[in-house]
Amino acid sequence: MSEKFHENMPDPNTHLLNKITIGQKPVLFSVYWEIRLALYAGVLLFTTGAAILIYKNIDSIGHLVIITFIGLVAIVCWWYCLKNRQPFTFQKTIPTSILVDYLLLLAALLTVSFIGYLQYQFHLFGQTEKLATAIPMIILFTAAYRFDHIGILSLAITNLGIFLGINVTPTSLLKSYQFNDELIIYTGVLLGLVLQLIAWLSIKKDLKNHFAFTYQNFGVNVFFISCLAAIFHFHFYLFWLLLLTSAAYFLFVKTVKESSFYFLLIIMLYAYVALSFTVINLVLKIDDSFSVGIMYFSFLYFITSAIGVIFLLIHFNKKLKHYDNL
């Protein structure tokens, strides 16, 4: 009797589950980006850990053993990726498995390390150090298009900048003092324009058009930082100021049409820096003693202009969202 009574009693956990299921519709959520982030972190941690291990044990391990290990791991990664590759197309492709995506990134990083190690330790290319950046650059661009990998494309563009003598990552550009060289300034302006042209051709000709954002992102930052460096460096800077403002207006109209708030933000920030430099420079030419009045004007200008830029960004952000909802 007792056993039969307990068998007929509802399980409290089941009852609670039913209440939750009936009272609230189950919501499915994707962990796709969480898994991708974990895998990217795994690749970076592996390469960083291997570098630290090699650095601390370089005397006991030996350079030849290290370089052989790096080369073998890179070859295995490339072999697996080539074996499981998708047919080539200029359209966006999806890798056969998520493992291929990250082994490809690992192979690219190890290849760059392998060639750089050969040049640094054994001087494989002799005095022609450009080859040590040109070869991995060609490999990275080829792999980026063959396997449709935006991460490797970013590495390839970075190698292109290094090959030309500049570092094309925005933070490195701002922290370094390499733009005191006029040749570097001209190279940066030209590289920025070329990257913008490639982005436009990618969309126009439908050749990996999803690569256009990466090209444009690097191109915009390199071009505007180079123009700012020219404004700061050259005594006669009106030409560079005109070039920067013309490019900013052209890209401003373009980004508003494309509803791209990210590019709108960075364009306005670069234009604001150029405008502020021009205003302060003109004021200092009027009174180069940097008196109290100049200081008050400077503080007032930066406070009011910064508030104005913030309100402009809020306005355009709402405007772009409105266009997106139409």
Side-chain angles (χ1 to χ4, degrees), residues 129-145:
E129 295 184 356
K130 289 287 186 181
L131 281 174
T133 53
I135 292 175
M137 178 186 69
I138 294 170
I139 294 173
L140 291 173
F141 271 115
T142 304
Y145 277 86

Side-chain angles (χ1 to χ4, degrees), residues 216 220 248-249 251-257 259-271 309 312-320:
Q216 190 174 4
V220 165
Y249 176 76
L251 292 172
F252 173 80
V253 175
K254 182 174 178 289
T255 52
V256 169
K257 288 181 180 179
S259 300
S260 175
F261 181 73
Y262 168 73
F263 284 115
L264 182 68
L265 171 65
I266 59 176
I267 289 166
M268 289 186 67
L269 289 178
Y270 284 128
V309 170
L312 273 176
L313 289 173
I314 293 173
H315 167 73
F316 281 110
N317 187 30
K318 291 179 179 178
K319 190 175 181 180
L320 295 180

